[in-house]
């Protein structure tokens, strides 16, 4: 390997460059995690008005938009990991699982609201906690220098 190629490879793989790339992943996933955390706040507000659909309705809409934000940033973070950090299977596979769980969570939420399947709340709420745990785990995992 020529000296210049060696220098380029060393620079691209340096811990500083690697860590900067993971920072971008962590920021995108961190924003998604914040949106997931806020879902609990919006839910707390509309559940306070349980039974009064007009008062609760707009906060359920905020909750629905929050799900969109969480999903959008999860997709961006996972796409970034797939594109720039393909070697870090833990990050993009974790991101794909995160996306699937948010989609399932949103589907269950829609069933609770649109099909009045209130019993699904017993899955929707604990699943939200599992999603929150994954949302915290992903940036922590990204901070580990495994490649
Ligand atoms: C990952 C986090 C969460 C996501 C992505 C999510 C997503 C959704 C979505 C998309 C809906 C349907 C809204 C609509 O159709 O307009 C919904 C409904 C609902 N969510 Fe969540 N949610 C999350 C967390 C939570 C949490 C933490 C709670 C409670 C502590 C909660 C309680 C509910 C309830 C009770 C409904 C039904 C509202 C109603 O019609 O009365 N959600 N959720």
């Amino acid at each position: 390997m020529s000296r210049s190629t060696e220098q380029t490879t060393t620079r691209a793989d340096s811990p500083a460059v690697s860590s900067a790339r993971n920072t971008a992943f962590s920021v995108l996933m961190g924003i998604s995690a914040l949106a997931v955390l806020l879902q609990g706040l919006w839910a707390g507000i509309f559940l306070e008005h349980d039974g009064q659909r007009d008062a609760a309705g707009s906060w359920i809409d905020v909750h629905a938009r929050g799900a969109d934000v969480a999903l959008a940033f999860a997709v961006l973070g996972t796409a970034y990991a797939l594109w720039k950090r393909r070697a870090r299977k833990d990050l993009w596979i974790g991101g794909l699982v995160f996306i699937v769980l948010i989609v399932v969570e949103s589907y269950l939420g829609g069933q609770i609201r649109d099909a009045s399947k209130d019993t699904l709340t017993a899955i929707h709420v604990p699943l939200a906690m599992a999603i929150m745990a994954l949302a915290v785990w992903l940036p922590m995992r990204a901070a580990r220098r495994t490649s």
Side-chain angles (χ1 to χ4, degrees):
M1 189 186 296
S2 75
R3 188 173 154 71
S4 63
T5 312
E6 193 177 309
Q7 276 175 343
T8 309
T9 308
T10 306
R11 204 182 111 53
D13 291 348
S14 73
V17 173
S18 168
S19 134
R21 286 178 178 173
N22 286 348
T23 300
F25 172 84
S26 297
V27 166
L28 292 167
M29 288 308 191
I31 294 171
S32 182
L34 182 61
V36 169
L37 180 67
L38 287 172
Q39 289 297 87
L41 175 62
W42 314 135
I45 296 173
F46 68 67
L47 289 173
E48 190 187 337
H49 302 288
D50 205 20
Q52 308 159 253
R53 297 310 285 183
D54 287 346
S58 55
W59 288 107
I60 301 175
D61 291 339
V62 172
H63 189 78
R65 294 295 74 78
D68 295 340
V69 172
L71 181 60
F73 279 93
V75 168
L76 285 176
T78 304
Y80 186 86
L82 269 166
W83 179 39
K84 291 281 189 187
R85 307 293 288 141
R86 185 68 64 92
R88 289 292 303 265
K89 277 189 180 175
D90 52 343
L91 301 187
W92 60 261
I93 291 177
L96 289 174
V97 172
F98 188 47
I99 289 170
V100 169
L101 291 182
I102 293 175
V103 169
V104 170
E105 179 77 344
S106 299
Y107 171 76
L108 294 176
Q111 288 293 298
I112 298 167
R113 189 179 193 184
D114 303 333
S116 298
K117 294 191 177 167
D118 285 4
T119 48
L120 290 177
T121 309
I123 300 172
H124 189 79
V125 175
L127 183 57
M129 293 179 188
I131 291 170
M132 189 71 243
L134 186 53
V136 171
W137 181 83
L138 283 169
M140 285 175 67
R141 182 78 190 179
R144 280 178 53 169
R145 271 195 206 118
T146 61
S147 68

